[in-house]
Amino acid sequence: MECAWPLQALREELAPLMPGVRVELAPEIDSTNSELMRRARAGSTQPVLLVAERQTAGRGRRGRAWQADPGDSLTFSLGLPLAPREWSGLSLAVGVAVAEMLHPAVGLKWPNDLWVGGHKLGGILVETAGTGEALRQAVVGVGINIAPRDGAGLSTPPAALRALWPQAQAGEVLLRVAAPLARALREFEQAGFGAFVERYRARDLLWDTPVTLSDGRLGTACGVSGSGGLLVHTAAGTLCVTSEEVSVRPA
Ligand code: BTN
């Protein structure tokens, strides 16, 4: 039954941006990212949007699990071949595109967490597969809490989109986000993260905030670089740190 998921409308919106795109709904799957990465590693270059009603092994950044309650969340991945000149900053560009389509109050906590009012609304996991540096299959996974959920056991208390958008339904949110996300990926491919720096700045929740880096260094966040690194003023000067090196939290 396609009642809650506007699959045909998604196909129509995505087809001009991702020729040959497949739009698929999985009632249950381990992880939409894992599935599209399996296909990519098997050599598929098919553009695909895969949405799951339930993930049994959803994955987050840094090897963490991503838990989401069926019906109360949106979990999907977009897979497509991309050939940007430089890959750095891709996950931040995705964060910008998704945040902009959700609500003006949605901010970005570097590198690409979606936050509202000090709580985490959603997360993004970007992976790539392929042998060459140039053309690779990118898998962009997005998880958004639609309805309030239990925060027990989570390091960051969860926020819910319905606090900002009371009638939000997962299918409608996906329809709002998918095509702008595909457009942002094409823009990133052509112009790199530089094209997103000002837009990131407008939602940067760490801007001018004291922060602690996971390696113990302290400083004040002062924006992001043209390659998506976090700029931090410290006693030893201004650092540019990458998300592979450190995680960061408000001090
Ligand atoms: C994070 O904040 O750590 C990233 C969370 C990413 C979760 C999404 S849900 C859809 C896709 N499939 C996954 O297994 N993970 C991403």
Side-chain angles (χ1 to χ4, degrees):
M1 220 173 40
E2 290 197 7
C3 53
W5 297 102
L7 301 184
Q8 190 52 32
L10 285 160
R11 280 180 198 113
E12 285 163 15
E13 290 217 350
L14 289 174
L17 303 163
M18 300 165 69
V21 68
R22 289 178 57 93
V23 175
E24 300 177 15
L25 171 66
E28 181 172 297
I29 198 162
D30 56 350
S31 146
T32 54
N33 262 52
S34 298
E35 171 60 18
L36 295 194
M37 285 299 286
R38 284 192 288 270
R39 295 184 196 180
R41 289 189 185 112
S44 173
T45 55
Q46 165 97 54
V48 53
L49 173 72
L50 175 62
V51 55
E53 289 185 327
R54 175 194 294 271
Q55 294 190 125
T56 55
R59 296 188 289 115
R61 293 177 53 247
R62 298 179 159 263
R64 288 189 284 251
W66 181 259
Q67 274 147 15
D69 301 326
D72 288 346
S73 64
L74 172 62
T75 50
F76 73 94
S77 300
L78 195 60
L80 75 171
L82 272 190
R85 254 188 306 169
E86 180 55 62
W87 285 90
S88 53
L90 173 58
S91 70
L92 282 77
V94 170
V96 170
V98 174
E100 286 178 348
M101 294 319 296
L102 292 179
H103 192 276
V106 176
L108 291 162
K109 181 195 163 277
W110 185 86
N112 59 7
D113 280 355
L114 304 163
W115 278 50
V116 175
H119 294 180
K120 183 161 168 168
L121 176 69
I124 289 159
L125 178 65
V126 176
E127 300 177 289
T128 66
T131 45
E133 265 306 299
L135 182 70
R136 297 176 69 81
Q137 188 78 356
V139 174
V140 173
V142 180
I144 298 170
N145 303 323
I146 304 289
R149 51 181 293 217
D150 184 8
L154 298 179
S155 54
T156 312
L161 189 58
R162 284 203 190 128
L164 302 170
W165 175 0
Q167 309 306 327
Q169 297 291 338
E172 187 191 4
V173 176
L174 178 59
L175 189 57
R176 189 191 285 206
V177 163
L181 174 56
R183 252 180 243 113
L185 292 168
R186 290 291 168 228
E187 190 179 356
F188 178 87
E189 186 175 44
Q190 277 151 27
F193 181 64
F196 292 84
V197 170
E198 283 308 311
R199 287 158 67 187
Y200 190 98
R201 165 81 190 271
R203 293 184 182 257
D204 183 355
L205 294 175
L206 292 184
W207 175 261
D208 204 22
T209 299
V211 291
T212 304
L213 305 182
S214 52
D215 60 12
R217 288 179 290 183
L218 301 173
T220 301
C222 54
V224 293
S225 73
S227 56
L230 181 70
L231 300 170
V232 185
H233 283 314
T234 71
T238 301
L239 310 172
C240 179
V241 294
T242 69
S243 53
E244 288 79 43
E245 289 172 292
V246 293
S247 59
V248 62
R249 59 184 167 82

